[in-house]
């Protein structure tokens, strides 16, 4: 019998247009993407919100929020964030105009309501499947399924023969490699000129295992890794 996921936090959004209130409950290990597209875990259809605007994911016991290269930025308590930022109870998250609130206290009634409305966001187990979602630049919105066990990423050129081609002059030829190791994806930098980052931390040729919700910066291109 599987353990019941531990409820840790909730995100609340008040829609100023129709005065509706949306609540999303986050369990331990959960990842919540936020953006204008309906494919996001939290969809906010407001003109100032990018298609994939931000992501909240669980790392080492806390929830972190990361800007996905959005056009108008992410603000926490009025300050624009430029790197992954730890969230605390009572924080206001503003996507330029829309404001959401992060709470680390969730009542039993709120859990029940979220269960009824299908707004409980839980952790995803690594199964060897995965995809990269490009969240900024010329290819914003492209979702790339990871179908091979070894995938090379590089700049899009007329002679490029790598599996993922990015339309970004700051991306090297090639730049990085993804490898499926024991049902987990690992990313390696291939000596690129501008580096490969995972959640703002440089990746070396030794590699970095990926978790659902990790943000990869390849050259100037920002991508979101989803484990399924």
């Amino acid at each position: 019998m599987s353990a019941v996921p531990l409820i840790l936090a909730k995100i609340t959004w008040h829609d100023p247009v129709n005065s509706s209130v949306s609540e999303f409950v986050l369990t331990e290990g959960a990842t919540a993407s936020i953006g204008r597209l309906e494919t996001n875990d939290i969809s906010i259809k407001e003109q100032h919100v990018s298609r994939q605007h931000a992501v909240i994911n669980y790392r080492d016991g806390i929830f972190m929020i990361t800007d996905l290269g959005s056009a108008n930025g992410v603000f926490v308590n009025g300050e624009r964030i430029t790197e992954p930022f730890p969230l605390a109870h009572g924080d206001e998250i503003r996507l330029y105009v829309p404001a959401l609130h992060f709470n680390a206290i969730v009542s039993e009634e709120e859990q029940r309501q979220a269960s009824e409305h299908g707004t409980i966001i839980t952790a995803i187990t690594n199964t060897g499947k995965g995809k990269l979602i490009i969240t900024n630049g010329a290819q914003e919105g492209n979702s790339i399924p990871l179908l091979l066990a070894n995938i090379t990423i590089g700049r899009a050129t007329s002679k490029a023969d790598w599996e993922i081609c990015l339309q970004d002059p700051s991306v090297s030829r090639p730049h990085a490699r993804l490898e499926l190791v024991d049902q987990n994806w690992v990313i390696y930098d291939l000596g690129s000129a501008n580096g490969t980052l995972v959640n703002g931390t440089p990746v070396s040729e030794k590699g970095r295992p990926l978790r659902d919700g990790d943000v990869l910066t390849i050259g100037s291109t920002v991508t979101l890794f989803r484990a399924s």
Side-chain angles (χ1 to χ4, degrees):
M1 185 175 180
S2 60
V4 176
L6 181 63
I7 302 293
L8 293 183
K10 68 174 181 177
I11 301 291
T12 306
W13 176 51
H14 296 258
D15 189 333
V17 176
N18 57 24
S19 299
S20 65
V21 178
S22 299
E23 288 189 343
F24 301 85
V25 170
L26 307 179
T27 70
E28 183 178 12
T31 292
S33 62
I34 308 171
R36 199 170 68 244
L37 293 181
E38 289 186 357
T39 50
N40 286 285
D41 299 297
I42 301 175
S43 176
I44 299 179
K45 297 177 182 178
E46 206 272 349
Q47 63 178 344
H48 297 95
V49 177
S50 295
R51 284 177 283 185
Q52 288 91 17
H53 199 109
V55 64
I56 296 172
N57 63 357
Y58 188 77
R59 302 180 206 159
D60 302 322
I62 57 175
F63 283 104
M64 308 282 290
I65 185 167
T66 306
D67 189 341
L68 292 175
S70 65
N72 293 312
V74 176
F75 301 78
V76 177
N77 301 326
E79 297 292 330
R80 186 167 186 169
I81 66 169
T82 57
E83 56 186 24
F85 187 88
L87 292 171
H89 176 70
D91 280 348
E92 180 192 70
I93 302 164
R94 189 161 52 81
L95 310 180
Y96 193 67
V97 172
L100 302 87
H101 292 87
F102 178 85
N103 290 280
I105 300 173
V106 186
S107 69
E108 291 185 3
E109 175 62 18
E110 289 167 337
Q111 293 181 42
R112 186 185 67 80
Q113 289 285 343
S115 180
E116 288 183 359
H117 291 94
T119 54
I120 293 181
I121 302 173
T122 58
I124 293 175
T125 302
N126 285 335
T127 61
K129 297 181 180 180
K131 63 182 176 182
L132 292 181
I133 303 171
I134 301 176
T135 64
N136 72 333
Q139 296 163 277
E140 179 189 350
N142 285 8
S143 181
I144 305 169
L146 306 179
L147 302 177
L148 302 174
N150 282 278
I151 297 172
T152 301
I153 304 170
R155 189 193 314 168
T157 66
S158 59
K159 297 182 179 180
D161 61 355
W162 18 89
E163 289 74 27
I164 298 178
C165 295
L166 299 178
Q167 298 171 19
D168 179 353
S170 66
V171 171
S172 295
R173 301 173 290 177
H175 194 107
R177 180 171 60 87
L178 288 162
E179 182 180 351
L180 187 60
V181 180
D182 297 328
Q183 302 299 306
N184 290 283
W185 285 99
V186 180
I187 189 166
Y188 304 85
D189 185 78
L190 298 178
S192 64
N194 294 307
T196 303
L197 307 179
V198 175
N199 303 327
T201 301
V203 174
S204 70
E205 68 280 357
K206 295 181 180 179
R208 163 78 179 266
L210 296 179
R211 295 183 295 181
D212 182 53
D214 279 346
V215 178
L216 283 61
T217 305
I218 303 166
S220 298
T221 300
V222 180
T223 68
L224 176 64
F225 171 75
R226 297 310 307 258
S228 70

